[in-house]
Amino acid sequence: MKTTTTTTSPVSTAPPLPADLEDLLRKLRLPHIRRHAPEVVATAKAPRWEPAEVLKALFAEGVAGRERSALATRRAAAGFPTGKTFDAWPPEISSIPAPTQQALRTLEWVHRRENLVVCGPSGTGKTFRLEALGQQAVEAGLKVAWFTLEDLGVLLRRHRADDTVTKAIARVLRADLVIVDDIGLLPVAVDAAEGLYRLVDAAYEKRSVAISSNLHPAGFDELMPKTLATATVDRLLHHAHDCQTSGESVRLTQALAGQRVSPLS
């Protein structure tokens, strides 16, 4: 379930704007300036700000408001599963070398349209890392799309009937980074395997694809038809960073230590 954080703006005690000015700001579609203008105008009166300072403060509020709205839109469009960020897990817990973790967080690989493969046992932070990287990309102004293999299978079936699969994949690739999570836990349905191939093929050298898997891509022919697996892996790994996790499940370790649960009374 996704988690959302709601922020409540303090109730304004500043006098409202004149009705004609309020109406002008509404017609100009400047909601963030309209929201903050009473406080800015009231604040500017005592020290007698210069008109340019008032305008600068108002426009700064407008820009900040638009950036907040755009961030919220990108985050909602990404479809992240939980809302986890790098603040949720200390980097020293990961078995991925610290220099590699730091390099991934620069997002330079996304700007270079390179791929990322994170594979290893369950519970070693694969999904967490991809979501945290996705959240960081969204905060940096990039568009992200989150999928599971099942999602890709559903997408393919939905658009196969009217022969719009290519257009559907093209819409997915409006994102700068496409993440496909949790490959390898179950056998892959034919539709899902084809969906993964179509995505990787269309994104090749044009967009970044990141996957998490219990199985290294070299063994994908155990999960899907060999021809599709070979073609998919060939394109996926050509410009890819290969990160392998190891160790015990963090979830299991925390469970055995009595963490992540409230004690029974």
Side-chain angles (χ1 to χ4, degrees):
M1 179 181 294
K2 297 181 183 179
T3 57
T4 57
T5 303
T6 302
T7 57
T8 303
S9 301
V11 177
S12 174
T13 57
L17 295 175
D20 55 349
L21 179 55
E22 177 91 13
D23 188 51
L24 282 172
L25 291 174
R26 183 177 287 106
K27 288 179 178 178
L28 287 171
R29 297 181 181 178
L30 298 172
H32 307 294
I33 291 179
R34 181 163 51 87
R35 185 178 305 116
H36 292 280
E39 288 86 354
V40 171
V41 172
T43 302
K45 282 182 178 179
R48 296 184 179 179
W49 288 7
E50 292 291 331
E53 293 177 321
V54 178
L55 287 175
K56 181 179 178 181
L58 288 172
F59 289 144
E61 290 291 355
V63 170
R66 285 187 178 185
E67 289 177 348
R68 288 192 298 270
S69 296
L71 173 59
T73 298
R74 291 195 303 274
R75 183 167 283 137
F80 294 119
T82 64
K84 287 188 175 68
T85 66
F86 282 111
D87 294 333
W89 198 10
E92 60 270 15
I93 293 181
S94 177
S95 57
I96 298 174
T100 302
Q101 295 187 55
Q102 294 167 6
L104 290 174
R105 291 184 63 170
T106 67
L107 302 175
E108 290 180 8
W109 56 281
V110 179
H111 293 291
R112 293 195 298 260
R113 299 176 179 85
E114 297 167 349
N115 298 331
L116 174 63
V117 173
V118 183
C119 54
S122 293
T124 52
K126 301 184 300 296
T127 296
F128 162 80
R129 180 155 303 282
L130 290 191
E131 181 170 4
L133 285 170
Q135 293 278 5
Q136 188 161 329
V138 162
E139 291 170 5
L142 300 173
K143 295 179 181 179
V144 179
W146 183 281
F147 286 89
T148 63
L149 268 181
E150 289 75 15
D151 294 333
L152 291 177
V154 170
L155 180 74
L156 201 75
R157 290 193 296 273
R158 182 186 306 142
H159 292 277
R160 194 194 299 279
D162 58 358
D163 197 26
T164 58
V165 173
T166 301
K167 291 182 179 179
I169 294 294
R171 284 194 293 271
V172 171
L173 293 180
R174 291 173 183 170
D176 302 286
L177 171 62
V178 182
I179 300 173
V180 183
D181 185 41
D182 250 356
I183 300 172
L185 288 176
L186 298 169
V188 180
V190 175
D191 284 340
E194 182 183 342
L196 179 62
Y197 164 73
R198 283 178 174 268
L199 172 68
V200 171
D201 179 56
Y204 180 65
E205 296 185 335
K206 297 175 183 175
R207 291 290 187 272
S208 289
V209 175
I211 70 163
S212 72
S213 176
N214 285 43
L215 184 68
H216 190 274
F220 276 8
D221 56 358
E222 299 176 20
L223 304 173
M224 61 181 74
K226 184 176 179 61
T227 302
L228 275 178
T230 301
T232 300
V233 173
D234 178 67
R235 290 160 176 77
L236 177 67
L237 294 184
H238 186 211
H239 303 294
H241 300 275
D242 189 348
C243 298
Q244 300 195 36
T245 62
S246 60
E248 300 295 327
S249 167
V250 175
R251 288 188 291 265
L252 181 59
T253 301
Q254 291 175 341
L256 293 176
Q259 300 176 20
R260 303 295 181 180
V261 66
S262 300
L264 297 173
S265 58

